[in-house]
Amino acid sequence: MSGETDLKTLLESLHPVAREGDYVYALWPHGRPLEGGVEAAVREAEGLTVVLRRDEADSLGLRYDFVATWITLQVHSALEAVGLTAAVSAALTHAGISCNVLAGFHHDHLLVPSADAERAMDVLRLLARGVVLRSERPDDREEILELTASAFSVSPVTGEPVEGTPIEVGLLRGLFDCEEYIPEFSIVAEMGGEIVGHAISTRGWIGELELIALGPIGVLPHFQKRGVGSALMRETAARATALGEPGIALLGSPLYYPRFGYVPATSLGVQPPEAMWGDHFQLLTLPEWPDGVRGTFRYAEPFNGL
Ligand SMILES: CC(C)(COP(=O)(O)OP(=O)(O)OC[C@H]1O[C@@H](n2cnc3c(N)ncnc32)[C@H](O)[C@@H]1OP(=O)(O)O)[C@@H](O)C(=O)NCCC(=O)NCCS
């Protein structure tokens, strides 16, 4: 049975699916017959490597380090197809996600660190649509401002069309030029040279504690509900974690952001700058979040002009 060989078609029909549970690589004990539960095996001069579910490895007493999520690319790629593995691993590498590839007769399979699994799925879904995430460049700014005007042409607060230029455009201009701007946290989603989504986070404070505040975030209206916003949210959190930021604050819908782990800031002892914001002011705590944080959140200066 032959499979697809054209790279563009392959990428458009990747259909990544993550299996439930964790998988591990382990060395199979020398001389022991292979038992059920082994999902892949590679024989080498030094011994037999197996890939199996973590709970199977635990019950067999096998040792392992790498704990992975198993992602199957459902596309039926021909074994001789050129470029699929390179395109997938380049996209994951660009996102800082390591990946081990196994090729089966029908499909390619990726083992990525479990902690990065959701982001890896974002990268793969966006790759299928030809979308990449990258940091903003200075010559992107006018396009980002136009995108923001388009994304906020309907008010997220009232649901009504906005007259004139949405306030988020002026806010973003101010954020680009303020002291609290942090280049790594102005992230664009680009497709075929067009910027289709953007998220910015800038420095904010709770007392002396420095953290970041996310927003505005916008996706071109005809690109919404395709995972771009979620990918920008998770990319921001991954970059913040990597840079040792303790948390991310935002003002937004309590129906949207909890899916990324955000909780009402007040539940953590942090008050919004305006008490009336209530549960719309949310916080995501990251591994560097210190104990005992209390206080009122303070945004970058351009937010004060709103
Ligand atoms: C909010 C926004 C960035 C999300 O981007 P996106 O690419 O559409 O998001 P995704 O495709 O990753 O996720 C879509 C999901 O989020 C939900 N969603 C989006 N905005 C929402 C909101 N304000 N309240 C509740 N749910 C929302 C969608 O209903 C959809 O739900 P589903 O997965 O259950 O179908 C985008 O819709 C946008 O630009 N909106 C206009 C500007 C805005 O409101 N920005 C946020 C305030 S700063």
Side-chain angles (χ1 to χ4, degrees):
M1 190 167 43
S2 66
E4 182 57 58
T5 55
D6 177 66
L7 182 59
K8 186 163 178 291
T9 311
L10 283 168
L11 289 174
E12 281 168 0
S13 44
L14 271 186
H15 294 308
V17 175
R19 292 190 187 181
E20 288 287 315
D22 289 328
Y23 286 80
V24 297
Y25 279 80
L27 274 180
W28 192 255
H30 185 69
R32 181 166 161 179
L34 273 186
E35 294 169 26
V38 171
E39 302 283 336
V42 180
R43 195 176 298 284
E44 298 172 304
E46 296 87 346
L48 185 65
T49 305
V50 293
V51 185
L52 71 179
R53 282 181 65 101
R54 182 184 195 165
D55 48 12
E56 290 268 356
D58 288 338
S59 66
L60 291 164
L62 301 180
R63 295 192 21 214
Y64 53 82
D65 295 317
F66 181 58
V67 178
T69 293
W70 181 310
I71 298 173
T72 297
L73 304 179
Q74 297 281 40
V75 58
H76 176 43
S77 55
L79 282 168
E80 68 272 21
V82 175
L84 179 64
T85 311
V88 165
S89 57
L92 291 168
T93 303
H94 184 72
I97 300 172
S98 68
C99 143
N100 292 284
V101 184
L102 295 169
F105 187 83
H106 295 97
H107 304 296
D108 286 324
H109 308 267
L110 312 175
L111 286 123
V112 300
S114 291
D116 293 325
E118 276 195 305
R119 225 156 44 84
M121 289 293 284
D122 285 341
V123 169
L124 296 169
R125 287 194 206 103
L126 295 187
L127 180 66
R129 298 195 167 111
V131 178
V132 290
L133 301 186
R134 60 167 176 80
S135 296
E136 172 229 331
R137 295 193 286 253
D139 61 355
D140 292 329
R141 288 201 172 166
E142 284 311 310
E143 197 177 348
I144 295 172
L145 291 167
E146 281 168 27
L147 172 153
T148 304
S150 174
F152 288 90
S153 58
V154 172
S155 162
V157 179
T158 64
E160 297 292 326
V162 172
E163 301 253 335
T165 306
I167 53 166
E168 288 80 3
V169 175
L171 170 63
L172 193 51
R173 265 189 214 287
L175 292 176
F176 281 149
D177 292 333
C178 73
E179 278 184 16
E180 295 90 353
Y181 171 79
I182 309 168
E184 293 87 342
F185 290 120
S186 180
I187 308 170
V188 299
E190 181 187 313
M191 182 185 168
E194 182 188 15
I195 296 177
V196 297
H198 174 251
I200 191 167
S201 304
T202 44
R203 176 64 62 225
W205 299 266
I206 303 163
E208 296 294 304
L209 179 71
E210 290 194 337
L211 66 165
I212 58 169
L214 193 154
I217 175 173
V219 173
L220 283 180
H222 61 281
F223 258 90
Q224 292 176 6
K225 299 203 177 197
R226 298 196 211 171
V228 174
S230 300
L232 287 167
M233 292 299 299
R234 286 195 270 265
E235 178 70 13
T236 300
R239 291 185 182 201
T241 303
L243 290 168
E245 294 288 340
I248 308 176
L250 60 77
L251 175 63
S253 168
L255 298 176
Y256 184 49
Y257 298 100
R259 69 182 69 188
F260 307 110
Y262 286 80
V263 297
T266 49
S267 70
L268 296 164
V270 176
Q271 305 307 313
E274 305 278 345
M276 62 184 285
W277 292 356
D279 285 357
H280 287 74
F281 188 68
Q282 301 170 57
L283 259 178
L284 175 70
T285 58
L286 299 172
E288 296 296 321
W289 182 258
D291 288 336
V293 179
R294 291 281 178 279
T296 302
F297 183 82
R298 191 156 51 90
Y299 268 110
E301 205 282 323
F303 283 92
N304 298 332
L306 292 182

